[in-house]
Amino acid sequence: MAEPVWTVVTVTYNSAETLRRCWSGGKPYEWLVVDNASADDSAAVAEELGARVIRLPENVGFSRANNVALRQAAGRYVLFANPDLEVRPAGLDALARHLDTHGGLVAPQLLGTDGTPQANGRGFPYATAKLGNRRVWPLSRLHASYRMVAGPGEVVHVAWLMGAAVAGRTADVTALGGWNERFFLYYEDHELGLRAWRHGLPVALLGDVRWTHHWARATNSLRWSRAHTLELRGARTFFGMFPEFLVGLPRPARRHRRAARLVGSPVRSTVADPPEGAGPGPRGR
């Protein structure tokens, strides 16, 4: 049997109904579902829908579960896709062409169920930008460019991509080290994007691929929950690793000069010049 071109990785946790809603239809790719010890029938539903399921004995979190699948991915390209994402196979070819030209990480432009673009591309994650994203005035105005979308025909450099949909060449993502397992849930996508830039791999949002994302963020509620606790824990880990984003208003961080030059700008039609001192592939920290 020929090796698949794409491996799509989905981490589930009590996601049975979401899988039924979003993952019907044919799948011309290898679909690996890592189930984080769900209490419902997520694993069985995923198998019925055509996935190869890896059942974990406990909930190990988003990053570690993604890495379990990454080590088994047979495709040349890998897409990490949330259970609430509708993957349209026709868009995979465009993602692959972008990756073959530019490398790095790329995502489709995500849309809400009403067709409204979601800002799944983001600028530098300053703490003040995070507050502005929650509409804390006046930070929401100072960080208006933090939330990024790509229109049809546009490809835009971003600092990081929402973890609901992130794609790369499997060899690149593996060489990058996969997802950082210091994060259980939340902020792992911030760290992955910044780490890619530091290793000479650009991060981009592709406007010609537009997929529906049935997003219901658990921390949008004002009532404190386990999700808020996990987000706070992720924030503490992230800002401990990147203290340059903890204080101050936007300015190019010294460790991210190349990203600072490119974030928000269109992706060039030819392969971008490598960063200063970079080799042909990912560099160590």
Side-chain angles (χ1 to χ4, degrees), residues 105 171-179 192-193 195-197 199 201 282-283:
L105 304 176
D172 287 347
V173 179
T174 300
L176 191 60
W179 296 77
L192 180 65
R195 178 158 36 103
W197 279 112
H199 284 74
L201 299 176
R283 295 176 291 155

Side-chain angles (χ1 to χ4, degrees), residues 109-280:
Q109 174 60 59
L110 300 186
L111 307 175
T113 54
D114 62 355
T116 302
Q118 297 177 350
N120 60 304
R122 299 294 172 92
F124 283 122
Y126 287 89
T128 48
K130 303 293 291 183
L131 291 171
N133 189 48
R134 297 300 177 91
R135 295 176 172 80
V136 177
W137 190 91
L139 299 176
S140 56
R141 296 184 63 184
L142 291 170
H143 292 276
S145 62
Y146 176 64
R147 297 169 59 85
M148 305 174 74
V149 299
E154 295 180 339
V155 186
V156 181
H157 288 106
V158 300
W160 60 278
L161 297 159
M162 279 173 43
V166 179
R169 290 182 294 203
T170 304
D172 287 347
V173 179
T174 300
L176 191 60
W179 296 77
N180 191 324
E181 296 184 12
R182 291 179 61 184
F183 297 89
F184 184 87
L185 185 66
Y186 299 115
Y187 283 84
E188 68 287 309
D189 43 11
H190 303 44
E191 191 275 339
L192 180 65
L194 293 176
R195 178 158 36 103
W197 279 112
R198 289 181 61 189
H199 284 74
L201 299 176
V203 184
L205 187 62
L206 186 57
D208 277 345
V209 182
R210 306 172 80 78
W211 293 344
T212 300
H213 179 213
H214 299 256
W215 191 27
R217 186 175 173 86
T219 55
N220 280 347
S221 170
L222 295 178
R223 296 182 59 184
W224 194 265
S225 65
R226 173 168 168 75
H228 289 89
T229 300
L230 291 173
E231 184 173 29
L232 185 61
R233 185 183 304 168
R236 183 172 58 203
T237 300
F238 177 81
F239 289 114
M241 297 173 65
F242 298 93
E244 66 268 30
F245 295 123
L246 186 58
V247 295
L249 295 176
R251 67 183 189 280
R254 291 182 179 179
R255 287 196 293 170
H256 310 277
R257 285 191 296 267
R258 181 170 182 245
R261 291 198 303 269
L262 293 178
V263 166
S265 67
V267 174
R268 292 180 358 189
S269 59
T270 56
V271 178
D273 294 332
E276 299 86 345

